[in-house]
Amino acid sequence: MSADHQTGSRPVAPALGTLRRIILFILLFALLSLTASGVGSLLGWAFTAGDVLVAADSSSLALALALTLVGGPLGAIAFWASWRLLRSPAERRSTAWGIYFSAMYITSLITASSFILSGLAHWIGGDTGNVKTSLGQGLGWAAVWWWHRWMLAHSTRGPVALATVPTLLGWAFGLVLGLGAASNALGLLFDRALGVHEELAVVGSPWWRGALGLLVWAVGGAVIWWWHWFRSGASTLHTALAGVAVVSLGVGVSSILALGGVGMVLFVLLRLGLDRSDPLPILLDPAPEALAAALLGLLSWLYHARIVSNRPAPLPTAAGLAISGITLIAWASGLGVVVNAGLSTVTTHLGGTDSLQLLLAGLSSLAVGGPLWWFSWRPARSFDQQGRRIYLVLVFGISAVVSLVTLLVIGFRLFEFILGDASTSGLLERVRAPVGLLLATALVAGYHFVLWRHARELTEHAEAPGVPGSRPHLGLSEVVLVAGADAPDLAAVIRAHTGAHVMVLLRHEPAGATLSVEQVLQSLRGHGARRILLLVGPGDRLEATALADDSPMIGSG
């Protein structure tokens, strides 16, 4: 009976422990948040005691006192209960503790930095109305952040599960905040240099006050980034989550910022040369922010790309494929806009200037995304084949979803035109945007589907066991294979079906072949030689030359 009782109670105990942790940490998070807000409000009242009368807003003071004097003791009790439980190693390893810690860490960091930097920016900008109140709130939340910062390094209470997440979240927040604020500040400087909005300097405060305010945010973001990247050791983390963060934010977001800025600058230049329908200030209006985004995004992109290139596989492959996907989206979007612009020229409502602006925008996106996609995709094809196949499946799947949604939009517009009032706009005008997107998506899906099918065919032949009669020539001992990026997969197939040693020589032009595996294996038959030089690709090129047995050995692999 005792054994049955113990057996029956085992599944219940973990569930009760998890439920207890969830409730406790939710209460702790809520009570600490309320207490931090109350303490921050009281600090703001203390800082402004000499400026305003306390009785002027008694309800706000009463709320701050309630949050502090009621929420504070309750939060202390919840923390004391959790602190006692954390003496157990199982509690420290619990996911609930790690999730709470990460959530409170990043919440307190974002709130504290937002209040403090906002107060400093307003003070520098000349608006001193709520500076002391903002600083008081910031200090209250900063105390919570510093407290959790201390607990993170605690030897017996710090979280074990998700222990690196707070550091990565802080690094990500600092990077996004720093890049965004620095881009705005630098864009304002470029705006003044180009003289786009000179008339704004006459009205209101001087322009440099706004630039200094943005500079405060940029410096604050840079400090937060530096603290977590170098001081807290985010740069030395080699976990899977750290790799995802560096690739997605450091490389991905930075490249999007840079490419978007370059594309906008190119669009402005094209309009200056080909479309002067608007006044010069309007034409130049997007240029300052675009220049700043391109410059800072490129610097961040290059920095993180260098870091990723020194990391072990598969991180470099993931970064290359991420850039390939981003530039592919830019290329496909540009193609869709160009098709949209071409269709708009045959409508009566959107001819002329609007069509030209659409065309220039599409050409800008094509010019930025096309070449970069080609250069990022070609090296990626010689990287890890498994990652490449996953990328192909993702691109094809996303393209299929986009195509489906676009077809639904076209169908909706078609029936709307048939059933509704056809006098307002023509059918072509209604569907030209989704038709352009559908065409671009179809091209992307078709191209990547062919590559995916070819990669799957190579994998299946490489993994298939040899069968009698499958070897093209039983006396074949060595194949010197000259091919493109698909050479490793072709070599694996030849080894599996012939048993020969295969030496791989990559062409300077890495484009793959359009031939099937059966055609490649068939070319090895009927030569009667022990050594064969096999040239495969580009395209449908296929040459097999028998080599003399006594020729010097090049090597085998």
Side-chain angles (χ1 to χ4, degrees):
M1 177 180 289
S2 177
D4 294 340
H5 177 72
Q6 291 176 358
T7 303
S9 64
R10 286 175 185 172
V12 180
L16 290 177
T18 302
L19 181 61
R20 183 253 305 156
R21 295 187 192 100
I22 292 175
I23 295 175
L24 179 60
F25 291 133
I26 288 177
L27 286 175
L28 181 60
F29 183 92
L31 291 172
L32 283 183
S33 299
L34 295 175
T35 304
S37 298
V39 172
S41 298
L42 290 180
L43 288 176
W45 278 90
F47 292 159
T48 58
D51 303 329
V52 296
L53 295 177
V54 176
D57 192 1
S58 58
S59 59
S60 298
L61 180 59
L63 178 61
L65 290 172
L67 292 177
T68 304
L69 300 180
V70 177
L74 293 177
I77 294 174
F79 174 74
W80 173 79
S82 62
W83 193 254
R84 288 188 60 219
L85 293 173
L86 289 173
R87 291 181 298 183
S88 170
E91 295 292 333
R92 288 188 62 201
R93 291 193 300 266
S94 66
T95 306
W97 172 232
I99 293 175
Y100 157 79
F101 199 95
S102 301
M104 179 53 75
Y105 185 93
I106 192 60
T107 300
S108 59
L109 176 61
I110 293 176
T111 308
S113 58
S114 298
F115 276 117
I116 293 175
L117 294 177
S118 176
L120 292 177
H122 282 93
W123 177 69
I124 292 178
D127 182 11
T128 60
N130 298 319
V131 171
K132 295 179 180 180
T133 303
S134 297
L135 291 178
Q137 286 282 1
L139 291 177
W141 280 97
V144 176
W145 172 78
W146 190 260
W147 180 26
H148 284 75
R149 177 76 190 172
W150 170 78
M151 285 193 295
L152 183 63
H154 199 280
S155 58
T156 61
R157 297 295 199 279
V160 175
L162 309 178
T164 60
V165 172
T167 301
L168 291 175
L169 290 176
W171 165 79
F173 170 66
L175 178 65
V176 173
L177 177 62
L179 280 179
S183 297
N184 290 332
L186 190 59
L188 186 56
L189 293 179
F190 286 156
D191 184 276
R192 295 297 303 174
L194 294 175
V196 177
H197 298 115
E198 287 185 353
E199 69 277 3
L200 297 180
V202 180
V203 182
S205 61
W207 67 271
W208 53 266
R209 285 187 177 273
L212 287 179
L214 291 173
L215 185 61
V216 169
W217 285 94
V219 172
V223 170
I224 295 173
W225 171 84
W226 172 85
W227 179 278
H228 292 87
W229 185 247
F230 291 106
R231 184 68 179 271
S232 299
S235 60
T236 61
L237 295 177
H238 295 280
T239 61
L241 183 61
V244 171
V246 174
V247 170
S248 60
L249 288 177
V251 176
V253 172
S254 299
S255 63
I256 292 174
L257 187 65
L259 295 178
V262 172
M264 183 58 68
V265 170
L266 183 57
F267 173 68
V268 171
L269 294 177
L270 289 176
R271 289 204 65 192
L272 288 174
L274 301 175
D275 180 19
R276 287 298 191 99
S277 58
D278 292 324
L280 185 61
I282 296 179
L283 292 176
L284 294 176
D285 184 67
E289 292 80 4
L291 281 172
L295 178 60
L296 295 177
L298 182 60
L299 291 176
S300 177
W301 181 7
L302 294 176
Y303 174 77
H304 291 95
R306 181 177 61 85
I307 293 174
V308 169
S309 63
N310 296 326
R311 297 289 179 90
L315 211 58
T317 300
L321 294 177
I323 296 300
S324 177
I326 292 170
T327 52
L328 178 63
I329 293 174
W331 178 87
S333 301
L335 180 60
V337 174
V338 169
V339 174
N340 185 2
L343 294 176
S344 69
T345 58
V346 300
T347 63
T348 58
H349 297 282
L350 289 176
T353 302
D354 293 335
S355 301
L356 181 58
Q357 291 184 17
L358 273 177
L359 178 62
L360 296 180
L363 291 177
S364 302
S365 185
L366 278 174
V368 173
L372 288 176
W373 170 77
W374 179 249
F375 285 110
S376 62
W377 175 237
R378 288 171 58 191
R381 290 189 295 189
S382 62
F383 288 164
D384 174 61
Q385 295 301 312
Q386 181 66 23
R388 176 175 174 264
R389 286 190 289 268
I390 294 174
Y391 170 81
L392 291 175
V393 172
L394 284 175
V395 171
F396 179 72
I398 294 173
S399 301
V401 173
V402 174
S403 299
L404 177 61
V405 174
T406 308
L407 285 173
L408 291 175
V409 173
I410 293 176
F412 167 74
R413 292 297 186 184
L414 177 61
F415 289 114
E416 183 186 44
F417 175 78
I418 295 175
L419 301 175
D421 184 9
S423 61
T424 56
S425 61
L427 176 61
L428 184 59
E429 183 179 343
R430 294 170 184 251
V431 301
R432 58 186 178 85
V435 165
L437 180 59
L438 178 63
L439 177 60
T441 306
L443 291 176
V444 170
Y447 170 75
H448 289 85
F449 176 73
V450 171
L451 294 179
W452 170 75
R453 187 174 59 181
H454 182 62
R456 187 182 65 173
E457 185 182 45
L458 293 175
T459 303
E460 291 176 351
H461 280 80
E463 295 176 351
V467 296
S470 65
R471 295 190 176 186
H473 178 52
L474 294 177
L476 188 62
S477 63
E478 182 180 10
V479 175
V480 180
L481 175 63
V482 182
D486 52 358
D489 290 331
L490 286 174
V493 173
I494 294 173
R495 291 191 192 100
H497 286 76
T498 66
H501 293 287
V502 182
M503 177 181 179
V504 178
L505 299 177
L506 292 175
R507 291 192 312 271
H508 178 68
E509 169 60 48
T514 59
L515 301 163
S516 65
V517 175
E518 287 78 8
Q519 290 176 297
V520 174
L521 295 176
Q522 182 64 31
S523 66
L524 298 175
R525 295 186 173 94
H527 291 278
R530 298 181 63 252
R531 305 177 65 208
I532 291 180
L533 172 65
L534 184 62
L535 305 178
V536 182
D540 58 355
R541 180 187 180 188
L542 181 61
E543 299 179 17
T545 304
L547 301 176
D549 294 341
D550 56 353
S551 61
M553 293 293 292
I554 301 177
S556 61

